[in-house]
Amino acid sequence: MNLKFEACNTSHITTLIWISETTFRDAFEKANEPEDFATYINQAFNKEKLLTELNNPNTAFYFVYLDAELVGYFKLNEFDAQSEAQPDDAIELERIYVLEKFQGKQIGFHILEAIKTKIIDKEKKMLWLGVWEENYAAIRFYKKHGFIEFGTHPYYVGTDKQTDLLLKIEMIH
């Protein structure tokens, strides 16, 4: 599979907003109350918030291309940018999304393998993430690829308090 990864910067803001909203809507809009969902979209993916995240040296967004076509993106956080306090040798995979029309083609697997390589190159020991407890397909995917559950944390979609399972994989150097 000919995937390419491009680090995002502030010049990519319009595309980043579009792919963030599109993939999140496709994945979760039907499972949430419309007002809470709209609030979340407006808070998580507004231009100012994403620009702040892009300018944070401990956060990195990457676009994923199949040949020349944008198919998804992912976001990594380290140090104080992580959504939960973790050791300095950990990196959080906060987002990994593939556009709906490209799902089921093993793209997520290849993205995850590339992320693991980045983690090892940075000499980090753990990759972790939060996944909504009702996102059964994603939970199966991560567990199939070696992640284990190590806790939970609250995740708000608007005023709706949901629970994310925390999953991790130890990296072997």
Side-chain angles (χ1 to χ4, degrees):
M1 180 162 293
N2 190 20
L3 290 182
K4 292 187 177 99
F5 305 96
E6 178 184 10
C8 298
N9 60 51
T10 56
S11 72
H12 299 113
I13 190 65
T14 302
T15 304
L16 183 60
I17 291 169
W18 171 80
I19 198 164
S20 297
E21 287 185 3
T22 299
T23 54
F24 198 82
R25 282 183 194 284
D26 289 347
F28 302 113
E29 188 169 30
K30 293 178 188 127
N32 286 278
E33 194 277 325
E35 187 175 315
D36 281 327
F37 194 81
T39 298
Y40 178 84
I41 292 287
N42 291 331
Q43 290 172 345
F45 305 128
N46 72 64
K47 184 176 183 177
E48 294 74 26
K49 178 156 178 37
L50 289 176
L51 284 171
T52 299
E53 292 174 352
L54 282 166
N55 285 313
N56 183 334
N58 295 324
T59 295
F61 289 87
Y62 294 86
F63 288 143
V64 180
Y65 294 90
L66 176 60
D67 299 317
E69 191 167 4
L70 180 62
V71 298
Y73 81 107
F74 62 94
K75 178 185 178 191
L76 301 174
N77 298 318
E78 55 186 320
F79 304 114
D80 62 347
Q82 296 179 90
S83 61
E84 289 279 328
Q86 297 294 334
D88 285 349
D89 62 0
I91 291 186
E92 175 186 20
L93 172 55
E94 185 178 349
R95 297 188 188 134
I96 179 172
Y97 287 103
V98 175
L99 289 166
E100 200 168 54
K101 73 179 185 174
F102 294 100
Q103 291 178 8
K105 300 178 186 301
Q106 299 293 309
I107 291 172
F109 166 75
H110 291 286
I111 294 171
L112 188 56
E113 290 302 304
I115 291 169
K116 288 178 183 178
T117 298
K118 286 184 180 301
I119 302 307
I120 291 169
D121 289 348
K122 287 179 154 278
E123 299 183 355
K124 301 293 183 170
K125 293 184 179 170
M126 182 178 79
L127 175 63
W128 73 279
L129 55 91
V131 60
W132 184 30
E133 67 182 350
E134 294 183 28
N135 190 348
Y136 306 115
I139 294 167
R140 275 191 309 276
F141 171 81
Y142 291 120
K143 287 186 174 182
K144 176 181 175 183
H145 296 290
F147 284 79
I148 59 169
E149 189 175 336
F150 73 100
T152 63
H153 71 187
Y155 190 87
Y156 287 86
V157 175
T159 59
D160 182 18
K161 182 180 178 183
Q162 300 178 358
T163 300
D164 273 4
L165 302 179
L166 301 180
L167 305 177
K168 69 178 180 177
I169 188 167
E170 302 292 332
M171 305 309 297
I172 299 170
H173 297 273

